[in-house]
Amino acid sequence: MSKSGVGARAKRKEDERFLYGRGQYIGDLRFPRMREVAFVRSPVAHARLKDVVIPGHLRSSVFTARDIAGVLPLKAVSPLPGFQVSEQPPLVTDKIRQVGELIAMCVADTRAEAEDIAAQISLEYDELPAVVDMLDAQKPGCVLVHDTVKGNVYVNVAFDGDIESVAKTAPVKVTRELRTARQVMSPIECRGFIAQWDSRVNQLILHGATQFPHVVRTGLSLVLQIPEIQIRVISPDVGGGFGYKAILAGEEVCLCWLAMRVDYPVRWLEDRREMLVANANCREHYYNITAYADNSGKILGFDAKAAVDTGAYSAYPFSAAIEASQVSAILPGPYSIPVYRCNTAAVATNKAPQLPYRGVARPGVCYAMELVVDAIAREIGKEPHEVRAVNLVRPEQMPYDNITDKHFDSGDYPQLLRMAVEAIDVNAVRARQQRGEKDGRLIGLGMSIFSEQTGHGTTADGKRRVLYEQAFARLTPDGRLDIRAGIQSIGQGLETTLAQIGSECLGMDIEDIHVKLGDTEISPYSSGAWGSRGMIWAGGATARACQELADRVARIGAALLQTDLKSVVVRDNGVYGPNGNVSLRDIARAYYLAPSELPGDIDPHGLEVTGGFTPTRITGIHTGAAHATIVAVDPETGGVEILDYVVVEDAGTLVNPMIVDGQIFGGTAQGIGSALFEEMAFDKQGQPLASTLADYLLPGCPDVPNIRVFHMQTPSPYTEFGIKGVGEGGAIGPGAAIANAINDALKSLGVEICEIPVTPRRILHALSTQVRRRA
Amino acid sequence: MKPAVFDYVRPATLDEATRLLGEKGVFSKVVAGSQSLGPMLNLRLAQPELLVDITSIPVLTAVSEQRDYVDIGACVSHADVEDGRIPDGSRGLLALVASRIAYRAVRNRGTLGGSLAHADPAADWISVFPLLGADVIVQSRRGTRTVAAENIMVSSFITVLQPDELIRTIRVPKISARARWGFCKFNQKAGEFAHAIGGVLHDPENDRFRAVIGAIETAPIVVADAASLFGGRFGPNLDARLDKRAVLALLDEKNVRDEYNRQLLLVALKRAAKQASES
């Protein structure tokens, strides 16, 4: 291992520009004569749009669906059987399906003036009853969101099992109804795009905050009906993605359409209100679960009916099926469950389309499963971790195919659990609970453990290969390494970690390695940064390109050393042979600038390589983690304080442990948001009830405790270096662990809350309901 | 989220400011720290024609200490109070309250007068100055008038201030060395607007025993004789003596029906009482 290679806690190369405020985001970019766009959005959730009334003097600054008629609607179609297809027009054509839906595009010299124009547009529409609740939406006779989506269900994803037989004999039966709130992803940087037409190269250039520039280009080519080669997508610095920038939506499509017709660049910068009210929705799940167990807590059968509030549209490209299909497929989690039945409906409602947020369905399924495990433990009077222990997949079973055909490549889940139990010190917490608190607060202990299928390369049902990944590496004439990948860094430090992989393969210091990302014009095709796939796939591709480059460098080095290829190694900035060495710089100089020094038969492919990678098995690499927390609950106010938080993570070989810790801290903070704060509520007319961050609460610094992270490293047999994905894990465990801890604290009062976020209001309501029930 | 068009003036004198505010037929708003009005402008919830920025008027940032009171200029910031840059006649209450308003960035710019004039029921000063029995000195071209702090706010975001008036000074009476206070505010997360505020003040030197219940979606409930809430005079274990029925009756009068809010308000007052009687 070189000192800046795989495993080094290298400082992040990109941080210098970020820390000095020199990052370049869409909001920082200026182009000559650039104008700004504001959108007229729907004030209602469900209506027939009859007319958009534009004052005559503004006609040339306002564009509606009629103007952009040549643009095709966005259509995200899942290959899952029974998927009902719907379309999302960039601007409303006839039917409004959510508050905040795009109706008209207004362009002016400044955003304020564009908003002045938008304020003068009036809409005529006939309101329809809004479909707001995902259970009501499925009832017979409910108004339809899309005529083509019968029963308001985009797709049902089901697994069947013989639950009835288990039910007859199982001694323990636990039933719970659980909900997770609708959330709004909240990267610091909202979405934003600048579109312009470059008449010299005859190309549409879109600068945009995106996690997958190549996928955006493919999508734009489809809806704009121009060749991909005529589109260039550049993603500059991205101020947080989390899945919200792994979409293609109406705003950028409209912007591109406009840029192709005018001779100035146009920009749209999403503001926080647009993001909250109209766009970044995620997470809302419903579960009705009955688990059957024996008296040791061993789960004998697991029966679930679930629903995902998928919202008004099937978002491009991941479709309305992604979340529901994950729910059914991964609900069994890290457990060995012999009999399983689950049906999950992806439900259409008049809310913003649900988008895949860090962890996608995993935080929801982890929450549902782990609350049920704790309920089993309470039912049989055992420690929750003991119930987990008897159900976990064991290391000697690896590789293990579970009840839904998920293939666990490696890992030791019982050990993760043991480490978490020890780190949080379960016995000490139980003793403290016995003593009680002077201030009257109640202490609770909660855990969650999960298996995270990371970096999968198939459709959600695991049946079809959907992607590859490539990276490009070039040794420059001055002996430095130029790495280019089509994936984009959204804050997770890929400019450093991909350089560390280059360093590992070529024995170079990362100071001499430059990673360029996020531009379709300079990089090989990439599926992008999502699904905890970056290091597995783009890291793997970078390794393959750099390994091939190392082979070519070795051949030149051997020739210069006048020795046999077999006798040289590439390390420490050079090629080393039995009788001397030659530096990479001298090799590069010889190849590019003094080829006469080389023998005539040198490989003409040169010192640049595009390498590709796919894991040995593409159904996902399973990362495991256990979270454990101690909370104090104030029964008078419903206030919750997190006293301790432990994460034990097995993400295989860590390329940069410091960056991994950062990923876990950030994800856990977001999970704390899910557990305690974040909730986008709607009224009966489908109006979102939060339009600023004063109403939509995110955890702040005082609300996030010191998170103690422990690592196991069980290398995956299917990836380069044994890497597993880790980007999303932090966000998966907290909802379950914290909710379990609060229920543990409230246990003595006979109260259990089965909904997150667990707000003070929910706690006090549950306590007062319990008091009334007892009275 | 950009404001509609408005004119902006930053006068250097109080006379010029009040003259601008007195102009007939112009919808003007006073702006100081802009921590509440700014977002409202951006959300186009407020669309004044003229903004009169009063932050460069020296008298509005002046502070003067007298024998019985401290005069605090309207444009003094929460951070000025938090950091102890003004004389403290409240034995620490003002600094504590200031330190828990929103976030430091807001406290650096947000002003005492602005907070009172904005009259957000969930804000802090609109409850705390009435607890202390402060007066608000209001200026217009027509002259000055003094309004008791508890009479400034009419209801949510509505005050007794006329369109041509601005708050010049907050006159905060000093409390004695034997005075005791308690203040409790609940919010779900640090920096958020309050869900409940309770305050108790006892000063034996002038026989004052006051309480305030705030963040109730209208003007706070100011109890001038808190003995009615605690079944008698100030003393030890005050919190245990809190007459819940008396508090709930006050909340009924103000139409505070939500069970969660009622519970939090009760606990806030109880904890304020505990702090006052234990300090």
Side-chain angles (χ1 to χ4, degrees):
Chain A
M1 184 189 301
S2 71
K3 63 183 184 299
S4 59
V6 170
R9 299 178 72 89
K11 286 193 179 163
R12 303 194 341 155
K13 289 166 69 76
E14 48 270 77
D15 279 353
E16 182 166 341
R17 74 172 185 274
F18 293 147
L19 293 174
Y20 282 111
R22 294 183 196 131
Q24 286 195 26
Y25 302 89
I26 294 297
D28 297 311
L29 301 183
R30 295 284 184 278
F31 292 99
R33 300 187 305 131
M34 182 169 78
R35 305 187 81 201
E36 304 277 350
V37 161
F39 286 96
V40 176
R41 293 176 179 273
S42 167
V44 295
H46 203 188
R48 294 263 169 218
L49 181 64
K50 287 158 63 186
D51 200 7
V52 180
V53 184
I54 303 165
H57 67 287
L58 298 176
R59 193 62 197 88
S60 62
S61 306
V62 181
F63 306 91
T64 66
R66 211 170 295 160
D67 299 305
I68 68 161
V71 177
L72 298 181
L74 290 159
K75 219 157 106 175
V77 181
S78 164
L80 289 179
F83 183 83
Q84 303 197 80
V85 178
S86 59
E87 294 184 341
Q88 181 177 18
L91 296 173
V92 172
T93 51
D94 58 339
K95 197 176 178 202
I96 292 165
R97 295 187 177 87
Q98 64 160 111
V99 171
E101 188 161 3
L102 302 175
I103 292 177
M105 169 171 50
C106 309
V107 63
D109 288 342
T110 67
R111 173 64 179 252
E113 289 165 294
E115 289 185 22
D116 289 345
I117 294 172
Q120 297 173 68
I121 311 300
S122 55
L123 306 175
E124 290 176 9
Y125 51 81
D126 292 332
E127 257 193 276
L128 298 165
V131 182
V132 182
D133 180 82
M134 63 179 133
L135 301 185
D136 293 340
Q138 297 178 71
K139 288 178 184 160
C142 184
V143 172
L144 290 183
V145 177
H146 293 275
D147 293 342
T148 57
V149 179
K150 305 296 174 209
N152 284 325
V153 174
Y154 291 108
V155 69
N156 265 301
V157 185
F159 287 84
D160 205 5
D162 185 10
I163 291 290
E164 280 74 17
S165 306
V166 178
K168 277 183 207 149
T169 55
V172 178
K173 176 184 173 186
V174 168
T175 297
R176 290 292 183 277
E177 207 174 353
L178 304 125
R179 273 184 184 261
T180 63
R182 176 160 284 242
Q183 288 183 230
V184 178
M185 285 180 266
S186 305
I188 289 177
E189 183 203 30
C190 299
R191 292 170 70 239
F193 294 89
I194 302 166
Q196 56 194 308
W197 186 264
D198 185 328
S199 55
R200 183 181 67 82
V201 290
N202 204 26
Q203 198 177 38
L204 174 71
I205 299 179
L206 180 70
H207 286 80
T210 176
Q211 298 172 222
F212 49 17
H214 289 273
V215 176
V216 168
R217 180 169 71 168
T218 299
L220 284 174
S221 168
L222 285 171
V223 296
L224 298 173
Q225 300 178 83
I226 59 172
E228 287 214 29
I229 200 76
Q230 275 194 311
I231 304 171
R232 176 177 185 179
V233 178
I234 302 168
S235 186
D237 287 326
V238 178
F242 313 121
Y244 186 40
K245 291 165 187 169
I247 57 172
L248 175 68
E251 290 92 348
E252 52 268 37
V253 173
C254 291
L255 221 57
C256 288
W257 174 87
L258 182 58
M260 290 166 67
R261 278 154 189 84
V262 295
D263 59 355
Y264 48 82
V266 284
R267 176 166 74 172
W268 167 73
L269 280 180
E270 183 182 49
D271 65 35
R272 193 63 65 179
R273 183 167 53 175
E274 291 179 291
M275 198 196 83
L276 283 162
V277 170
N279 282 345
N281 283 222
C282 57
R283 288 281 194 262
E284 190 174 6
H285 291 192
Y286 164 86
Y287 298 86
N288 191 335
I289 292 173
T290 299
Y292 301 91
D294 68 17
N295 291 314
S296 76
K298 172 79 188 130
I299 295 169
L300 306 172
F302 200 89
D303 190 15
K305 194 156 174 48
V308 173
D309 189 326
T310 308
Y313 291 101
S314 179
Y316 188 90
F318 291 111
S319 90
I322 177 178
E323 194 108 353
S325 64
Q326 277 198 2
V327 168
S328 280
I330 64 179
L331 189 52
Y335 302 118
S336 154
I337 290 176
V339 182
Y340 176 69
R341 182 167 70 186
C342 181
N343 187 325
T344 307
V347 184
T349 58
N350 291 117
K351 301 178 191 170
Q354 193 183 53
L355 306 174
Y357 177 31
R358 199 173 195 171
V360 195
R362 301 173 189 91
V365 300
C366 176
Y367 168 76
M369 169 57 82
E370 293 297 89
L371 259 77
V372 169
V373 169
D374 267 38
I376 293 170
R378 273 196 289 280
E379 184 75 19
I380 62 174
K382 280 198 146 197
E383 272 288 355
H385 69 83
E386 293 171 352
V387 174
R388 290 191 169 84
V390 299
N391 288 294
L392 287 172
V393 174
R394 297 185 309 278
E396 64 271 21
Q397 292 174 291
M398 299 292 174
Y400 175 78
D401 292 311
N402 83 352
I403 187 82
T404 58
D405 216 19
K406 292 292 172 196
H407 180 80
F408 289 45
D409 53 295
S410 61
D412 186 343
Y413 292 87
Q415 178 63 11
L416 286 171
L417 182 68
R418 283 190 294 272
M419 286 171 71
V421 166
E422 190 182 319
I424 205 78
D425 199 348
V426 171
N427 293 334
V429 180
R430 296 305 179 212
R432 180 175 175 178
Q433 287 175 316
Q434 286 292 314
R435 287 196 303 275
E437 301 296 302
K438 278 199 187 121
D439 61 10
R441 292 195 298 177
L442 302 166
I443 300 296
L445 166 70
M447 300 184 79
S448 62
I449 184 164
F450 56 90
S451 175
E452 181 191 358
Q453 181 193 10
T454 66
H456 57 280
T458 64
T459 50
D461 60 2
K463 291 188 175 138
R464 292 190 213 185
R465 174 189 288 277
V466 289
L467 42 87
Y468 300 89
E469 191 74 19
Q470 292 87 38
F472 168 91
R474 169 198 286 152
L475 195 66
T476 58
D478 60 357
R480 292 181 172 84
L481 184 61
D482 176 12
I483 291 174
R484 300 174 185 193
I487 197 166
Q488 174 61 332
S489 191
I490 49 177
Q492 77 278 49
L494 285 175
E495 289 172 43
T496 304
T497 44
L498 293 182
Q500 284 183 257
I501 289 193
S503 166
E504 182 71 25
C505 298
L506 280 154
M508 296 174 70
D509 194 276
I510 55 169
E511 292 303 310
D512 290 329
I513 303 175
H514 193 76
V515 176
K516 297 191 189 80
L517 303 165
D519 184 344
T520 53
E521 207 73 357
I522 63 159
S523 62
Y525 199 92
S526 163
S527 304
W530 48 267
S532 299
R533 64 184 299 277
M535 286 320 292
I536 295 170
W537 290 78
T542 301
R544 291 291 165 86
C546 291
Q547 286 156 358
E548 168 65 22
L549 190 55
D551 287 347
R552 296 188 194 173
V553 162
R555 276 196 286 276
I556 297 171
L560 289 170
L561 293 169
Q562 299 181 354
T563 183
D564 175 22
L565 178 62
K566 285 184 192 130
S567 70
V568 300
V569 290
V570 181
R571 63 174 167 87
D572 296 331
N573 293 306
V575 173
Y576 289 74
N579 302 309
N581 61 73
V582 55
S583 72
L584 294 179
R585 284 187 191 198
D586 285 342
I587 290 170
R589 196 177 59 233
Y591 181 80
Y592 289 102
L593 307 176
S596 60
E597 294 172 15
L598 298 175
D601 60 347
I602 213 74
D603 184 351
H605 285 99
L607 294 177
E608 49 185 76
V609 183
T610 297
F613 178 76
T614 183
T616 317
R617 286 188 68 133
I618 58 168
T619 51
I621 306 303
H622 282 251
T623 293
H627 289 214
T629 185
I630 304 169
V631 302
V633 180
D634 185 334
E636 281 193 330
T637 66
V640 175
E641 184 188 358
I642 300 173
L643 303 178
D644 195 8
Y645 203 100
V646 164
V647 177
V648 187
E649 179 97 26
D650 184 352
T653 303
L654 304 182
V655 174
N656 184 325
M658 181 191 73
I659 285 180
V660 169
D661 286 351
Q663 289 290 302
I664 292 170
F665 295 151
T668 303
Q670 289 175 316
I672 288 170
S674 306
L676 296 176
F677 298 102
E678 296 185 43
E679 178 167 21
M680 176 57 88
F682 289 77
D683 71 10
K684 290 191 164 62
Q685 284 75 45
Q687 286 290 340
L689 297 180
S691 60
T692 73
L693 293 181
D695 310 311
Y696 185 83
L697 296 189
L698 294 166
C701 292
D703 310 305
V704 179
N706 180 32
I707 298 158
R708 298 191 289 134
V709 180
F710 300 84
H711 294 288
M712 285 179 67
Q713 294 196 43
T714 313
S716 171
Y718 304 144
T719 62
E720 284 289 326
F721 311 109
I723 292 168
K724 298 179 176 179
V726 74
E728 298 168 283
I732 296 172
I738 292 168
N740 275 335
I742 292 168
N743 284 338
D744 185 54
L746 300 178
K747 188 172 137 184
S748 59
L749 304 175
V751 166
E752 184 183 320
I753 297 168
C754 291
E755 186 169 10
I756 49 172
V758 193
T759 56
R761 181 181 287 276
R762 286 206 169 97
I763 291 174
L764 289 188
H765 177 74
L767 288 171
S768 67
T769 307
Q770 176 69 358
V771 167
R772 272 198 292 275
R773 198 181 303 138
R774 284 183 174 177
Chain B
M1 257 184 17
K2 301 288 178 199
V5 171
F6 59 84
D7 285 327
Y8 171 89
V9 184
R10 194 177 191 210
T13 65
L14 202 52
D15 280 351
E16 175 64 2
T18 52
R19 187 190 65 74
L20 287 163
L21 292 174
E23 275 183 17
K24 293 265 182 286
V26 179
F27 175 29
S28 55
K29 288 288 282 184
V30 174
V31 63
S34 200
Q35 297 304 290
S36 298
L37 183 59
M40 289 176 75
L41 290 171
N42 281 345
L43 291 163
R44 299 197 175 201
L45 295 172
Q47 299 195 16
E49 294 163 276
L50 173 68
L51 280 191
V52 180
D53 183 338
I54 58 170
T55 53
S56 66
I57 300 170
V59 66
L60 296 181
T61 48
V63 177
S64 74
E65 183 173 10
Q66 309 296 331
R67 194 176 66 95
D68 293 331
Y69 59 84
V70 178
D71 271 351
I72 306 174
C75 287
V76 166
S77 72
H78 313 310
D80 288 333
V81 179
E82 177 182 14
D83 296 349
R85 281 191 291 275
I86 63 158
D88 175 27
S90 71
R91 303 187 57 76
L93 174 58
L94 294 183
L96 175 103
V97 169
S99 72
R100 294 185 188 169
I101 294 172
Y103 309 94
R104 180 70 196 196
V106 172
R107 301 198 288 272
N108 283 337
R109 299 193 64 89
T111 66
L112 274 56
S115 178
L116 288 178
H118 184 57
D120 186 328
D124 296 73
W125 298 125
I126 203 74
S127 287
V128 170
F129 286 131
L131 178 67
L132 286 165
D135 284 326
V136 178
I137 298 165
V138 174
Q139 179 92 39
S140 72
R141 221 167 21 153
R142 294 173 283 132
T144 63
R145 62 181 179 124
T146 300
V147 183
E150 62 192 89
N151 295 327
I152 275 285
M153 180 171 173
V154 177
S155 61
S156 193
F157 301 106
I158 296 172
T159 66
V160 297
L161 296 173
Q162 297 299 308
D164 66 338
E165 289 182 317
L166 58 80
I167 294 175
R168 191 185 76 188
T169 305
I170 300 133
R171 178 162 292 173
V172 188
K174 291 181 178 175
I175 61 176
S176 74
R178 289 166 60 212
R180 297 291 179 263
W181 54 259
F183 178 78
C184 179
K185 148 167 120 169
F186 290 125
N187 36 23
Q188 200 186 332
K189 56 172 279 196
E192 191 202 2
F193 273 112
H195 294 203
I197 284 176
V200 172
L201 172 73
H202 177 247
D203 192 345
E205 299 278 313
N206 50 20
D207 207 26
R208 272 192 301 177
F209 183 19
R210 294 168 71 86
V212 68
I213 303 167
I216 55 169
E217 298 193 350
T218 185
I221 300 167
V222 181
V223 183
D225 179 10
S228 61
L229 296 182
F230 296 98
R233 297 169 62 81
F234 185 85
N237 298 319
L238 195 63
D239 52 311
R241 286 166 38 201
L242 179 66
D243 181 347
K244 288 188 184 175
R245 265 185 299 186
V247 176
L248 293 176
L250 289 175
L251 296 179
D252 288 341
E253 275 176 35
K254 292 282 187 177
N255 206 23
V256 180
R257 303 286 170 199
D258 184 88
E259 281 300 323
Y260 167 72
N261 288 338
R262 287 163 72 91
Q263 162 77 4
L264 279 194
L265 290 163
L266 266 177
V267 178
L269 192 59
K270 191 175 90 169
R271 293 194 183 173
K274 186 177 167 71
Q275 185 187 10
S277 68
E278 286 178 358
S279 60

